[in-house]
Amino acid sequence: MRLYRLLLHLYPSSYRADYGDEMCADFEQELRLSSGALAKMWLWLAAIVDVVSNAAAVQWQIARRDISYSLRSLKRSPGFTITALLLITIGIGANAAIFTLADFVLVRPLPFPHPERLVEIWEQHRGYSHMELSPPTIATSRPPARRLTTWEPIPT
Amino acid sequence: MAEKESMDALLPLQPTSFHILLSLADEDRHGYAIIQDISRRTNDEIKLSAGTLYRSIQRLQEQGLIVETRTRPAPEEDDERRRYYSITAMGKAAAQVEVRRLHSLLKMARSCGVVPRTT
């Protein structure tokens, strides 16, 4: 009987509180009246199918009622509905933008081979400690460190 | 007028609901007794499962066609897990309207020759 009671947890709790005990009593009676292992097994099988299908129907019925109640409430207060919809839209949009950015910056590998060998080189001049190299400088100079065999600019 | 409209909204009754109302028309019963009564009345053609029965009972209670009754049998015959149900005046009226609907349907079928006329 404990198994049948466990099976009844597929129903919503309010429904179980109203009819659970009676359903258990009915099933207990049916089991008592059935004779033979095969009959009992058949009874169990029928009970499982019965509970699963009817519990799904009851859950769907409650969900439909909730949805219809929500829609009616939203229709009664259009100001709240528009504000809520706008907030949801902005929230979804902002989330999508942040995750797209995070994906490109943090997750995806850089779009060229051996990205771990990438270095950034700056020029220092008086008064300017952090200047980007100009294309002619790159074209006419040698790599500034021994460990750099070749160098070429990456178009950005 | 409003009562007629609410009654129209309930019709046609689902076959299960109609059988439950018929079962409760003569006496108050608990769920299992309703299953047995319907099975007996229909010569075992209809054997409601517990899931179907209690879903129908819930719907009929919400529609006000049946109510749970406080009257219970003597303690030695009672199982406290059982709930007893009773048909309401509205439930009886709904069953009567359904019978009239089925009767006119039968008359129509007879006039079309689908069902043989009785003498």
Side-chain angles (χ1 to χ4, degrees), chain B residues 73-112:
Chain B
E76 61 273 13
E77 293 171 14
D78 195 16
D79 180 344
E80 60 179 17
R81 292 175 298 178
R82 301 259 183 231
R83 295 168 66 185
Y84 287 79
Y85 304 98
S86 160
I87 191 168
T88 61
M90 193 179 165
K92 274 186 186 157
Q96 283 164 357
V97 175
E98 180 68 2
V99 168
R100 278 201 292 275
R101 189 187 71 83
L102 291 173
H103 187 68
S104 66
L105 207 63
L106 184 63
K107 262 173 45 183
M108 206 188 302
R110 277 194 183 129
S111 70
C112 296

Side-chain angles (χ1 to χ4, degrees), chain A residues 45-127:
Chain A
L45 199 68
I48 290 169
V49 171
D50 180 48
V51 170
V52 169
S53 60
N54 280 292
V58 173
Q59 297 278 14
W60 170 238
Q61 188 186 332
I62 289 176
R64 234 176 39 191
R65 257 185 226 170
D66 287 350
I67 291 167
S68 129
Y69 175 75
S70 310
L71 288 178
R72 277 203 311 275
S73 304
L74 290 174
K75 213 171 154 186
R76 269 200 301 272
S77 48
F80 171 77
T81 309
I82 290 167
T83 312
L85 280 177
L86 267 176
L87 284 175
I88 291 169
T89 312
I90 291 169
I92 292 171
N95 261 304
I98 288 168
F99 280 106
T100 308
L101 199 69
D103 180 38
F104 273 95
V105 174
L106 303 171
V107 181
R108 289 193 194 190
L110 295 172
F112 41 79
H114 307 297
E116 73 282 357
R117 293 177 64 188
L118 180 72
V119 291
E120 196 173 9
I121 298 168
W122 303 99
E123 270 185 324
Q124 278 187 341
H125 294 285
R126 188 174 295 175

Side-chain angles (χ1 to χ4, degrees), chain B residues 15-117:
Chain B
T16 311
S17 302
F18 187 53
H19 277 294
I20 294 171
L21 290 179
L22 290 184
S23 176
L24 294 175
D26 52 354
E27 66 175 281
D28 299 346
R29 294 178 205 272
H30 56 69
Y32 193 68
I34 295 173
I35 293 176
Q36 286 180 313
D37 183 60
I38 293 173
S39 175
R40 187 180 52 77
R41 281 175 201 264
T42 59
N43 295 323
D44 286 336
E45 270 184 36
I46 298 177
K47 180 125 177 42
L48 294 182
S49 70
T52 308
L53 174 81
Y54 292 107
R55 262 180 66 206
S56 303
I57 283 180
Q58 186 196 33
R59 190 174 50 245
L60 289 169
Q61 281 184 301
E62 284 170 359
Q63 291 168 337
L65 302 185
I66 65 171
V67 285
E68 188 182 348
T69 174
R70 302 240 173 250
T71 320
R72 300 189 73 90
E76 61 273 13
E77 293 171 14
D78 195 16
D79 180 344
E80 60 179 17
R81 292 175 298 178
R82 301 259 183 231
R83 295 168 66 185
Y84 287 79
Y85 304 98
S86 160
I87 191 168
T88 61
M90 193 179 165
K92 274 186 186 157
Q96 283 164 357
V97 175
E98 180 68 2
V99 168
R100 278 201 292 275
R101 189 187 71 83
L102 291 173
H103 187 68
S104 66
L105 207 63
L106 184 63
K107 262 173 45 183
M108 206 188 302
R110 277 194 183 129
S111 70
C112 296
V114 175
V115 179
R117 286 167 201 272

Side-chain angles (χ1 to χ4, degrees), chain A residues 37-48:
Chain A
L38 202 68
K40 283 190 200 307
M41 212 170 75
W42 178 249
L43 209 62
W44 267 106
L45 199 68
I48 290 169

Side-chain angles (χ1 to χ4, degrees), chain A residues 124-141:
Chain A
Q124 278 187 341
H125 294 285
R126 188 174 295 175
Y128 301 98
S129 61
H130 217 85
M131 279 186 71
E132 284 180 357
L133 269 66
S134 65
T137 309
I138 297 169
T140 55
S141 308

